Amino acid sequence: MALSSVFCPLLASKTPQPKSAPSFHLGTNGLRPPPKRTSWPFIPRSNRGRSIGIRCERRDDSFYMRRCVELARKATGCTSPNPMVGCVIVKDGEIVGEGFHPKAGQPHAEVFAVKDAGDLAENATAYVSLEPCNHYGRTPPCTEALICAKVKKVIIGMVDPNPIVASKGVERLRGSGIDVITGVEEMLCRKLNEAYIHRMVTGRPFVTLRYSLSFNGRVLNQLGPGAEESGGYYSKLLKEYDGVVISSNLFPKTFSLPTSHETGATQPLRIIIARGVNSLHLPALTTESAGKLVVLAEKTITVEPKLEDVKIVVLEQMSLSSILDYCAHQGLCSVLLDIREDNEVLKELLDDVLDEHLVQKVVMEVCPIWCRGEEAFLAFGRKSFRLRDLETRTENENVVVEGYIL
């Protein structure tokens, strides 16, 4: 039988297949060949000559850590200011318990996983995407849950940068006789909580700059088809971020506030920058949406309709730095800076973005639209810069590109 007949999925035909050119992966170290298989799957004689499915993925530490991250993402947009965390309990090569941190103030991932595993947690291995905490906050220490469950080994994706936690959880577990390994799939775990990490390290929110371009390079006032609907990239972005910054110049042309339509989404705090205006007329607001809206202005202004829940804050100096300081004081870990065609106010705030390292990420949407009229380019900053770790995807005929500022 030809070797090609044992690849997944298995081909029923015994006709030798032509050899294909080897594929390559583009990683941080350039082109590299895909990893080689270490063993071939066993095929029972009774199944030879028929199409069958074979699970090809090897269940190692990386496999279980990726499962932790997958579980953690179920709480996207719900845990801030806490990180997203997933935990898996494994015994004799089988997952016997799973859990994730669903919301700030609720039990952590380890507690749910241990409860799910029950007595099977004893002498098992616990995988957790972030170092278990060893302090009393709104919930008891996660380390105690693992110790009481009598797990024999804990494998951690990354050490918690929170100074209250950092390495103390690892030390507590090791002091209790539990074998601890750290740094498994660390980059994946760091990306999961990039906003939380940035806030812990710098004291400021993680900021993403977002804008849409026409196919001929013009900055658009609109988003691409389907972007704002449930499942659209913009709707999902709003679910992920604690706050979204927009300009008051938008409201003469739009009648709605940025809103995530994802199931169970917690709406971000809408931060409206009112610069160079004496009055502001907002779109129709519900009591719920009004409670998550702040107007930042340089002076006292009139805002209509008048609602007690809408906050008006006067900043002594209107700059991106002062805006982010306000966001930090409100406990925001992540902020989406939404640039539109008419957002000249926001463009002016971006001049010092590189010198002060105020923006960490860029999301650009290219729409299948060719615009006529005057050119509108997104130009800011005093110097050029490069982006790293670019990712591209197509959604509803729109191309979304994201990358990190070096």
Side-chain angles (χ1 to χ4, degrees):
M1 182 183 295
L3 287 178
S4 60
S5 62
V6 297
F7 282 104
C8 308
L10 192 66
L11 301 176
S13 173
K14 295 185 179 181
T15 304
Q17 302 296 315
K19 294 182 178 180
S20 58
S23 60
F24 288 85
H25 301 283
L26 183 60
T28 56
N29 297 322
L31 288 174
R32 56 180 174 83
K36 295 181 180 179
R37 288 193 60 89
T38 57
S39 61
W40 295 100
F42 172 71
I43 305 171
R45 289 183 179 275
S46 59
N47 286 328
R48 293 180 183 178
R50 295 185 300 171
S51 294
I52 60 174
I54 299 175
R55 173 173 287 176
C56 297
E57 187 162 15
R58 187 163 56 95
R59 292 196 169 193
D60 56 6
D61 290 345
S62 292
F63 172 87
Y64 295 116
M65 191 58 68
R66 290 194 297 272
R67 176 57 182 163
C68 289
V69 172
E70 183 181 3
L71 289 168
R73 290 192 185 281
K74 292 184 177 182
T76 296
C78 299
T79 64
S80 185
N82 289 357
M84 293 179 283
V85 184
C87 181
V88 170
I89 309 295
V90 177
K91 191 169 189 178
D92 299 327
E94 296 295 331
I95 295 176
V96 296
E98 293 185 332
F100 64 93
H101 178 43
K103 187 178 181 180
Q106 293 191 12
H108 292 183
E110 299 90 332
V111 176
F112 285 108
V114 166
K115 183 178 180 181
D116 189 36
D119 294 339
L120 294 175
E122 184 172 354
N123 292 320
T125 297
Y127 292 81
V128 59
S129 56
L130 185 69
E131 176 186 8
C133 66
N134 189 46
H135 66 282
Y136 282 89
R138 285 188 280 182
T139 59
C142 302
T143 51
E144 298 308 309
L146 295 171
I147 293 169
C148 291
K150 299 180 180 180
V151 300
K152 68 175 182 179
K153 189 175 185 178
V154 177
I155 297 178
I156 298 169
M158 64 168 287
V159 174
D160 196 330
N162 186 342
I164 299 176
V165 181
S167 296
K168 296 180 179 67
V170 172
E171 292 170 3
R172 173 73 176 112
L173 293 171
R174 285 175 175 163
S176 300
I178 297 174
D179 186 18
V180 179
I181 296 175
T182 62
V184 174
E185 290 288 346
E186 183 172 0
M187 294 308 296
L188 181 64
C189 294
R190 292 183 70 86
K191 184 175 176 60
L192 171 70
N193 284 306
E194 60 188 9
Y196 168 78
I197 295 169
H198 181 80
R199 173 71 192 280
M200 282 295 160
V201 173
T202 68
R204 278 180 166 170
F206 181 91
V207 180
T208 294
L209 173 66
R210 191 221 69 86
Y211 58 94
S212 298
L213 292 180
S214 65
F215 206 73
N216 57 332
R218 180 173 179 176
V219 182
L220 299 174
N221 190 44
Q222 66 194 73
L223 287 90
E228 298 176 272
E229 299 173 2
S230 178
Y233 92 93
Y234 187 71
S235 175
K236 290 187 287 188
L237 269 182
L238 293 175
K239 180 182 179 181
E240 294 175 13
Y241 284 77
D242 296 338
V244 54
V245 177
I246 56 177
S247 170
S248 60
N249 292 348
L250 282 177
F251 294 115
K253 293 188 176 182
T254 184
F255 298 97
S256 63
L257 292 168
T259 302
S260 174
H261 297 286
E262 304 308 299
T263 302
T266 300
Q267 298 303 328
L269 177 67
R270 288 88 161 196
I271 303 164
I272 301 174
I273 307 302
R275 196 175 187 186
V277 296
N278 296 316
S279 62
L280 175 63
H281 188 82
L282 299 174
L285 300 172
T286 63
T287 302
E288 181 181 1
S289 61
K292 302 208 70 175
L293 194 151
V294 174
V295 177
L296 299 184
E298 296 175 302
K299 58 185 179 180
T300 303
I301 64 172
T302 302
V303 177
E304 296 290 345
K306 293 182 179 180
L307 294 172
E308 293 183 0
D309 293 328
V310 176
K311 293 182 180 179
I312 303 174
V313 178
V314 178
L315 299 179
E316 292 183 4
Q317 181 182 8
M318 184 69 74
S319 66
L320 185 56
S321 180
S322 63
I323 292 170
L324 295 182
D325 285 342
Y326 172 81
C327 292
H329 288 314
Q330 300 305 306
L332 305 188
C333 286
S334 56
V335 173
L336 183 66
L337 191 58
D338 197 354
I339 299 289
R340 305 290 180 103
E341 178 184 15
D342 295 325
N343 280 8
E344 294 297 334
V345 170
L346 296 188
K347 292 178 186 178
E348 293 175 3
L349 298 176
L350 291 172
D351 280 341
D352 297 326
V353 64
L354 298 178
D355 295 333
E356 299 185 37
H357 305 287
L358 299 179
V359 174
Q360 288 67 55
K361 189 175 182 179
V362 177
V363 175
M364 175 185 70
E365 175 192 32
V366 181
C367 303
I369 301 171
W370 191 280
C371 290
R372 298 179 59 187
E374 297 180 2
E375 294 178 334
F377 296 106
L378 184 59
F380 63 86
R382 298 182 177 90
K383 58 184 179 181
S384 300
F385 61 92
R386 291 180 61 84
L387 295 127
R388 61 174 174 84
D389 300 336
L390 293 179
E391 294 183 6
T392 305
R393 62 186 184 274
T394 302
E395 296 192 11
N396 296 324
E397 298 184 350
N398 311 307
V399 178
V400 180
V401 184
E402 62 180 53
Y404 296 84
I405 297 178
L406 287 171

